[in-house]
Amino acid sequence: MADQLVLKLPVRTAFGRDDYFVSDANALAVDVVRDWKTWANGRLILSGPAGSGKTHLLSIWAADVGAERVRPEAVSSWRPKSPAVPLAIEDLSQTADQHALVLLLNQMAADGLPVLLSSNPPPKDLGFALPDLVSRIESSSHVTLGAVDDALLNAVFLKLASDRQLTFDPGVVPFTLARVERSLSSLKNLVAKLDHMSLQRQKPVTKRLVGDAIATLEDGGTDERH
């Protein structure tokens, strides 16, 4: 059977503090990020596994304090606004010009402006070779986002489903959370696939649809069943 036309309906999302759910997995990190005036040398490294919510928390902080955001690979070409503002550097596990990063951190410290940096591994495992950069990293505050727990998965799943106006029986939620990979990024991908397949098949979200969506994602995204 040929694929049915899937209409591109708008998805309502809000990327802000009201949509960042706090649980035991992230409560400490939220408190430390919020209390940015106490960071050692004006710097904080936010680490945690992929999908733990680092990007969302970094985005909230950047919006709250008016920080610019820059990727580490763009550090060498980045120039601050005038007047200078706080800075958020996302994903230090990516390649960065270490000399440029040291100069940038030094300049931000001289200007008395905070810097929030995120990475998957903790600071000691970043593997930087430049002694001056290692020194700056070691002299920064550090907090870790824990692995996503059940309470956080449940809240985020319901929020993502609400954004896409998906409806389902209550039993679908525990069924889904017991089978999806335990990361916020995987959950987001699954809800997007559920939305697509529900529209494509013109059927509500059921346990069977959840199983099919998970299998489809594991197979590379091709759905052969209608």
Side-chain angles (χ1 to χ4, degrees):
M1 182 183 297
D3 287 349
Q4 297 185 37
L5 176 65
V6 176
L7 299 178
K8 298 293 185 180
L9 299 177
V11 176
R12 295 182 293 104
T13 58
F15 199 61
R17 184 177 300 280
D18 291 343
D19 302 300
Y20 194 86
F21 298 97
V22 179
S23 73
D24 290 342
N26 59 18
L28 175 61
V30 169
D31 288 342
V32 173
V33 169
R34 180 184 292 125
D35 197 18
W36 58 269
K37 292 183 180 180
T38 67
W39 297 348
N41 298 300
R43 295 185 297 269
L44 174 69
I45 299 176
L46 174 65
S47 67
S52 58
K54 295 187 300 296
T55 296
H56 195 166
L57 188 51
L58 180 144
S59 299
I60 290 172
W61 180 80
D64 280 353
V65 302
E68 284 193 68
R69 296 175 62 179
V70 62
R71 297 286 301 177
E73 60 268 25
V75 163
S76 58
S77 60
W78 180 82
R79 296 295 180 270
K81 292 180 178 179
S82 182
V85 295
L87 187 64
I89 303 176
E90 184 178 351
D91 199 357
L92 278 181
S93 59
Q94 298 295 317
T95 301
D97 183 325
Q98 296 186 36
H99 290 279
L101 186 53
V102 167
L103 292 174
L104 177 57
L105 294 180
N106 288 347
Q107 185 61 55
M108 296 297 290
D111 292 340
L113 294 169
V115 182
L116 176 60
L117 309 100
S118 71
S119 71
N120 286 359
K124 64 182 180 63
D125 295 331
L126 284 169
F128 291 130
L130 189 65
D132 283 349
L133 180 55
V134 173
S135 174
R136 302 302 181 276
I137 295 299
E138 290 179 346
S139 63
S140 303
S141 293
H142 170 232
V143 68
T144 301
L145 276 170
V148 179
D149 58 18
D150 290 339
L152 188 56
L153 277 176
N154 186 78
V156 172
F157 179 73
L158 293 176
K159 173 61 174 60
L160 292 172
S162 174
D163 283 345
R164 292 178 177 272
Q165 301 177 347
L166 295 177
T167 58
F168 37 78
D169 292 333
V172 168
V173 178
F175 178 88
T176 301
L177 300 186
R179 289 159 178 80
V180 68
E181 181 182 333
R182 298 181 68 82
S183 77
L184 301 183
S185 54
S186 295
L187 193 59
K188 181 178 179 180
N189 291 338
L190 175 60
V191 173
K193 178 59 68 174
L194 287 172
D195 187 25
H196 177 85
M197 293 175 68
S198 178
L199 288 169
Q200 187 180 54
R201 300 183 187 186
Q202 297 185 359
K203 294 181 179 179
V205 176
T206 60
K207 293 179 181 179
R208 178 177 178 180
L209 187 66
V210 170
D212 288 349
I214 291 174
T216 297
L217 290 171
E218 291 175 347
D219 291 341
T222 302
D223 178 26
E224 301 294 341
R225 291 159 290 186
H226 303 291

